[in-house]
PDB file of all heavy atoms in Angstrom:
ATOM      1  N   THR V 112    -144.209 237.383  -8.178  1.00 97.00           N
ATOM      2  CA  THR V 112    -144.909 237.145  -9.439  1.00 97.00           C
ATOM      3  C   THR V 112    -146.429 237.254  -9.326  1.00 97.00           C
ATOM      4  O   THR V 112    -147.138 237.015 -10.300  1.00 97.00           O
ATOM      5  CB  THR V 112    -144.551 235.757  -9.992  1.00 97.00           C
ATOM      6  OG1 THR V 112    -144.838 234.764  -9.010  1.00 97.00           O
ATOM      7  CG2 THR V 112    -143.074 235.707 -10.370  1.00 97.00           C
ATOM      8  N   GLY V 113    -146.918 237.603  -8.131  1.00 97.00           N
ATOM      9  CA  GLY V 113    -148.351 237.852  -7.992  1.00 97.00           C
ATOM     10  C   GLY V 113    -149.104 236.833  -7.165  1.00 97.00           C
ATOM     11  O   GLY V 113    -150.339 236.871  -7.125  1.00 97.00           O
ATOM     12  N   PHE V 114    -148.398 235.945  -6.481  1.00 98.00           N
ATOM     13  CA  PHE V 114    -149.070 234.951  -5.640  1.00 98.00           C
ATOM     14  C   PHE V 114    -148.741 235.178  -4.176  1.00 98.00           C
ATOM     15  O   PHE V 114    -147.590 235.439  -3.819  1.00 98.00           O
ATOM     16  CB  PHE V 114    -148.661 233.531  -6.050  1.00 98.00           C
ATOM     17  CG  PHE V 114    -149.109 233.145  -7.424  1.00 98.00           C
ATOM     18  CD1 PHE V 114    -148.200 233.046  -8.471  1.00 98.00           C
ATOM     19  CD2 PHE V 114    -150.457 232.908  -7.686  1.00 98.00           C
ATOM     20  CE1 PHE V 114    -148.612 232.700  -9.737  1.00 98.00           C
ATOM     21  CE2 PHE V 114    -150.875 232.562  -8.967  1.00 98.00           C
ATOM     22  CZ  PHE V 114    -149.960 232.463  -9.991  1.00 98.00           C
ATOM     23  N   ASP V 115    -149.755 235.050  -3.328  1.00 97.00           N
ATOM     24  CA  ASP V 115    -149.536 235.150  -1.885  1.00 97.00           C
ATOM     25  C   ASP V 115    -148.734 233.955  -1.385  1.00 97.00           C
ATOM     26  O   ASP V 115    -147.973 234.077  -0.423  1.00 97.00           O
ATOM     27  CB  ASP V 115    -150.883 235.211  -1.149  1.00 97.00           C
ATOM     28  CG  ASP V 115    -151.750 236.364  -1.620  1.00 97.00           C
ATOM     29  OD1 ASP V 115    -151.193 237.421  -1.976  1.00 97.00           O
ATOM     30  OD2 ASP V 115    -152.983 236.194  -1.658  1.00 97.00           O
ATOM     31  N   GLU V 116    -148.931 232.815  -2.016  1.00 97.00           N
ATOM     32  CA  GLU V 116    -148.160 231.616  -1.668  1.00 97.00           C
ATOM     33  C   GLU V 116    -147.999 230.752  -2.907  1.00 97.00           C
ATOM     34  O   GLU V 116    -148.863 230.730  -3.788  1.00 97.00           O
ATOM     35  CB  GLU V 116    -148.844 230.828  -0.547  1.00 97.00           C
ATOM     36  CG  GLU V 116    -150.255 230.362  -0.873  1.00 97.00           C
ATOM     37  CD  GLU V 116    -150.880 229.551   0.246  1.00 97.00           C
ATOM     38  OE1 GLU V 116    -150.134 228.976   1.061  1.00 97.00           O
ATOM     39  OE2 GLU V 116    -152.121 229.470   0.295  1.00 97.00           O
ATOM     40  N   GLU V 117    -146.863 230.075  -2.985  1.00 97.00           N
ATOM     41  CA  GLU V 117    -146.609 229.093  -4.028  1.00 97.00           C
ATOM     42  C   GLU V 117    -146.393 227.744  -3.348  1.00 97.00           C
ATOM     43  O   GLU V 117    -145.474 227.589  -2.554  1.00 97.00           O
ATOM     44  CB  GLU V 117    -145.366 229.461  -4.855  1.00 97.00           C
ATOM     45  CG  GLU V 117    -145.528 230.714  -5.703  1.00 97.00           C
ATOM     46  CD  GLU V 117    -144.279 231.003  -6.530  1.00 97.00           C
ATOM     47  OE1 GLU V 117    -143.342 230.172  -6.498  1.00 97.00           O
ATOM     48  OE2 GLU V 117    -144.241 232.054  -7.194  1.00 97.00           O
ATOM     49  N   ILE V 118    -147.254 226.799  -3.662  1.00 98.00           N
ATOM     50  CA  ILE V 118    -147.196 225.468  -3.071  1.00 98.00           C
ATOM     51  C   ILE V 118    -146.690 224.485  -4.125  1.00 98.00           C
ATOM     52  O   ILE V 118    -147.207 224.440  -5.243  1.00 98.00           O
ATOM     53  CB  ILE V 118    -148.586 225.048  -2.560  1.00 98.00           C
ATOM     54  CG1 ILE V 118    -149.084 226.046  -1.505  1.00 98.00           C
ATOM     55  CG2 ILE V 118    -148.550 223.636  -1.984  1.00 98.00           C
ATOM     56  CD1 ILE V 118    -150.545 225.859  -1.118  1.00 98.00           C
ATOM     57  N   LEU V 119    -145.652 223.740  -3.800  1.00 97.00           N
ATOM     58  CA  LEU V 119    -145.041 222.777  -4.725  1.00 97.00           C
ATOM     59  C   LEU V 119    -144.743 223.396  -6.089  1.00 97.00           C
ATOM     60  O   LEU V 119    -145.031 222.807  -7.140  1.00 97.00           O
ATOM     61  CB  LEU V 119    -145.957 221.558  -4.916  1.00 97.00           C
ATOM     62  CG  LEU V 119    -146.227 220.696  -3.686  1.00 97.00           C
ATOM     63  CD1 LEU V 119    -147.206 219.570  -4.044  1.00 97.00           C
ATOM     64  CD2 LEU V 119    -144.947 220.104  -3.140  1.00 97.00           C
ATOM     65  N   PRO V 120    -144.122 224.566  -6.141  1.00 97.00           N
ATOM     66  CA  PRO V 120    -143.913 225.199  -7.439  1.00 97.00           C
ATOM     67  C   PRO V 120    -142.847 224.500  -8.275  1.00 97.00           C
ATOM     68  O   PRO V 120    -141.806 224.103  -7.756  1.00 97.00           O
ATOM     69  CB  PRO V 120    -143.460 226.607  -7.061  1.00 97.00           C
ATOM     70  CG  PRO V 120    -142.773 226.432  -5.742  1.00 97.00           C
ATOM     71  CD  PRO V 120    -143.551 225.357  -5.020  1.00 97.00           C
ATOM     72  N   MET V 121    -143.091 224.337  -9.541  1.00 97.00           N
ATOM     73  CA  MET V 121    -142.069 223.896 -10.487  1.00 97.00           C
ATOM     74  C   MET V 121    -141.599 225.119 -11.270  1.00 97.00           C
ATOM     75  O   MET V 121    -142.399 225.775 -11.948  1.00 97.00           O
ATOM     76  CB  MET V 121    -142.596 222.844 -11.458  1.00 97.00           C
ATOM     77  CG  MET V 121    -141.536 222.407 -12.488  1.00 97.00           C
ATOM     78  SD  MET V 121    -142.194 221.464 -13.885  1.00 97.00           S
ATOM     79  CE  MET V 121    -142.508 219.885 -13.107  1.00 97.00           C
ATOM     80  N   HIS V 122    -140.317 225.415 -11.151  1.00 97.00           N
ATOM     81  CA  HIS V 122    -139.711 226.516 -11.890  1.00 97.00           C
ATOM     82  C   HIS V 122    -138.590 225.974 -12.759  1.00 97.00           C
ATOM     83  O   HIS V 122    -138.232 224.793 -12.695  1.00 97.00           O
ATOM     84  CB  HIS V 122    -139.173 227.578 -10.926  1.00 97.00           C
ATOM     85  CG  HIS V 122    -140.243 228.307 -10.168  1.00 97.00           C
ATOM     86  ND1 HIS V 122    -141.256 228.990 -10.811  1.00 97.00           N
ATOM     87  CD2 HIS V 122    -140.470 228.464  -8.836  1.00 97.00           C
ATOM     88  CE1 HIS V 122    -142.050 229.538  -9.892  1.00 97.00           C
ATOM     89  NE2 HIS V 122    -141.599 229.227  -8.694  1.00 97.00           N
ATOM     90  N   VAL V 123    -137.995 226.843 -13.590  1.00 96.00           N
ATOM     91  CA  VAL V 123    -136.903 226.407 -14.459  1.00 96.00           C
ATOM     92  C   VAL V 123    -135.715 225.971 -13.611  1.00 96.00           C
ATOM     93  O   VAL V 123    -135.528 226.425 -12.482  1.00 96.00           O
ATOM     94  CB  VAL V 123    -136.487 227.518 -15.438  1.00 96.00           C
ATOM     95  CG1 VAL V 123    -137.640 227.900 -16.348  1.00 96.00           C
ATOM     96  CG2 VAL V 123    -135.950 228.739 -14.702  1.00 96.00           C
ATOM     97  N   VAL V 124    -134.901 225.094 -14.146  1.00 93.00           N
ATOM     98  CA  VAL V 124    -133.781 224.522 -13.409  1.00 93.00           C
ATOM     99  C   VAL V 124    -132.763 225.608 -13.042  1.00 93.00           C
ATOM    100  O   VAL V 124    -132.303 226.361 -13.907  1.00 93.00           O
ATOM    101  CB  VAL V 124    -133.088 223.429 -14.236  1.00 93.00           C
ATOM    102  CG1 VAL V 124    -131.840 222.918 -13.533  1.00 93.00           C
ATOM    103  CG2 VAL V 124    -134.055 222.276 -14.493  1.00 93.00           C
ATOM    104  N   GLY V 125    -132.464 225.689 -11.758  1.00 92.00           N
ATOM    105  CA  GLY V 125    -131.427 226.595 -11.285  1.00 92.00           C
ATOM    106  C   GLY V 125    -131.721 228.061 -11.481  1.00 92.00           C
ATOM    107  O   GLY V 125    -130.809 228.900 -11.364  1.00 92.00           O
ATOM    108  N   GLY V 126    -132.954 228.405 -11.792  1.00 93.00           N
ATOM    109  CA  GLY V 126    -133.290 229.796 -12.040  1.00 93.00           C
ATOM    110  C   GLY V 126    -132.842 230.310 -13.392  1.00 93.00           C
ATOM    111  O   GLY V 126    -133.063 231.478 -13.714  1.00 93.00           O
ATOM    112  N   VAL V 127    -132.225 229.433 -14.206  1.00 94.00           N
ATOM    113  CA  VAL V 127    -131.749 229.872 -15.521  1.00 94.00           C
ATOM    114  C   VAL V 127    -132.412 229.127 -16.672  1.00 94.00           C
ATOM    115  O   VAL V 127    -132.544 229.655 -17.767  1.00 94.00           O
ATOM    116  CB  VAL V 127    -130.208 229.728 -15.648  1.00 94.00           C
ATOM    117  CG1 VAL V 127    -129.513 230.671 -14.683  1.00 94.00           C
ATOM    118  CG2 VAL V 127    -129.768 228.286 -15.407  1.00 94.00           C
ATOM    119  N   GLY V 128    -132.823 227.904 -16.437  1.00 93.00           N
ATOM    120  CA  GLY V 128    -133.538 227.177 -17.469  1.00 93.00           C
ATOM    121  C   GLY V 128    -132.644 226.571 -18.534  1.00 93.00           C
ATOM    122  O   GLY V 128    -131.439 226.390 -18.352  1.00 93.00           O
ATOM    123  N   MET V 129    -133.249 226.272 -19.670  1.00 93.00           N
ATOM    124  CA  MET V 129    -132.610 225.480 -20.719  1.00 93.00           C
ATOM    125  C   MET V 129    -131.754 226.374 -21.623  1.00 93.00           C
ATOM    126  O   MET V 129    -132.077 226.620 -22.791  1.00 93.00           O
ATOM    127  CB  MET V 129    -133.695 224.765 -21.519  1.00 93.00           C
ATOM    128  CG  MET V 129    -133.226 223.579 -22.320  1.00 93.00           C
ATOM    129  SD  MET V 129    -134.611 222.772 -23.175  1.00 93.00           S
ATOM    130  CE  MET V 129    -135.482 222.027 -21.799  1.00 93.00           C
ATOM    131  N   VAL V 130    -130.628 226.847 -21.077  1.00 94.00           N
ATOM    132  CA  VAL V 130    -129.812 227.817 -21.804  1.00 94.00           C
ATOM    133  C   VAL V 130    -129.208 227.206 -23.066  1.00 94.00           C
ATOM    134  O   VAL V 130    -129.033 227.892 -24.079  1.00 94.00           O
ATOM    135  CB  VAL V 130    -128.710 228.390 -20.884  1.00 94.00           C
ATOM    136  CG1 VAL V 130    -127.918 229.479 -21.614  1.00 94.00           C
ATOM    137  CG2 VAL V 130    -129.326 228.961 -19.612  1.00 94.00           C
ATOM    138  N   TRP V 131    -128.884 225.928 -23.044  1.00 94.00           N
ATOM    139  CA  TRP V 131    -128.282 225.310 -24.225  1.00 94.00           C
ATOM    140  C   TRP V 131    -129.154 225.465 -25.460  1.00 94.00           C
ATOM    141  O   TRP V 131    -128.654 225.572 -26.587  1.00 94.00           O
ATOM    142  CB  TRP V 131    -127.975 223.828 -23.965  1.00 94.00           C
ATOM    143  CG  TRP V 131    -129.172 222.981 -23.684  1.00 94.00           C
ATOM    144  CD1 TRP V 131    -129.692 222.674 -22.463  1.00 94.00           C
ATOM    145  CD2 TRP V 131    -130.011 222.322 -24.636  1.00 94.00           C
ATOM    146  NE1 TRP V 131    -130.798 221.873 -22.584  1.00 94.00           N
ATOM    147  CE2 TRP V 131    -131.010 221.643 -23.921  1.00 94.00           C
ATOM    148  CE3 TRP V 131    -130.005 222.232 -26.032  1.00 94.00           C
ATOM    149  CZ2 TRP V 131    -132.009 220.893 -24.533  1.00 94.00           C
ATOM    150  CZ3 TRP V 131    -130.995 221.490 -26.659  1.00 94.00           C
ATOM    151  CH2 TRP V 131    -131.986 220.826 -25.913  1.00 94.00           C
ATOM    152  N   ALA V 132    -130.476 225.503 -25.251  1.00 94.00           N
ATOM    153  CA  ALA V 132    -131.386 225.629 -26.386  1.00 94.00           C
ATOM    154  C   ALA V 132    -131.498 227.066 -26.887  1.00 94.00           C
ATOM    155  O   ALA V 132    -132.108 227.313 -27.927  1.00 94.00           O
ATOM    156  CB  ALA V 132    -132.772 225.103 -26.009  1.00 94.00           C
ATOM    157  N   SER V 133    -130.922 228.025 -26.147  1.00 96.00           N
ATOM    158  CA  SER V 133    -130.880 229.410 -26.617  1.00 96.00           C
ATOM    159  C   SER V 133    -129.847 229.587 -27.726  1.00 96.00           C
ATOM    160  O   SER V 133    -129.813 230.633 -28.375  1.00 96.00           O
ATOM    161  CB  SER V 133    -130.556 230.357 -25.457  1.00 96.00           C
ATOM    162  OG  SER V 133    -131.526 230.272 -24.433  1.00 96.00           O
ATOM    163  N   ILE V 134    -128.975 228.602 -27.909  1.00 95.00           N
ATOM    164  CA  ILE V 134    -127.999 228.629 -28.997  1.00 95.00           C
ATOM    165  C   ILE V 134    -128.709 228.085 -30.234  1.00 95.00           C
ATOM    166  O   ILE V 134    -128.857 226.878 -30.415  1.00 95.00           O
ATOM    167  CB  ILE V 134    -126.768 227.779 -28.646  1.00 95.00           C
ATOM    168  CG1 ILE V 134    -126.145 228.286 -27.346  1.00 95.00           C
ATOM    169  CG2 ILE V 134    -125.754 227.806 -29.780  1.00 95.00           C
ATOM    170  CD1 ILE V 134    -125.071 227.377 -26.790  1.00 95.00           C
ATOM    171  N   ARG V 135    -129.173 228.972 -31.093  1.00 96.00           N
ATOM    172  CA  ARG V 135    -130.098 228.585 -32.155  1.00 96.00           C
ATOM    173  C   ARG V 135    -129.484 228.567 -33.546  1.00 96.00           C
ATOM    174  O   ARG V 135    -130.049 227.949 -34.451  1.00 96.00           O
ATOM    175  CB  ARG V 135    -131.300 229.523 -32.145  1.00 96.00           C
ATOM    176  CG  ARG V 135    -132.189 229.369 -30.916  1.00 96.00           C
ATOM    177  CD  ARG V 135    -133.173 230.518 -30.816  1.00 96.00           C
ATOM    178  NE  ARG V 135    -133.818 230.776 -32.085  1.00 96.00           N
ATOM    179  CZ  ARG V 135    -134.269 231.974 -32.463  1.00 96.00           C
ATOM    180  NH1 ARG V 135    -134.120 233.022 -31.670  1.00 96.00           N
ATOM    181  NH2 ARG V 135    -134.843 232.129 -33.632  1.00 96.00           N
TER     182      ARG V 135
END
Side-chain angles (χ1 to χ4, degrees):
T112 56
F114 295 107
D115 303 327
E116 59 178 337
E117 293 182 5
I118 301 170
L119 296 177
M121 178 193 286
H122 293 303
V123 299
V124 175
V127 295
M129 199 178 289
V130 184
W131 63 267
S133 300
I134 303 170
R135 292 167 47 209

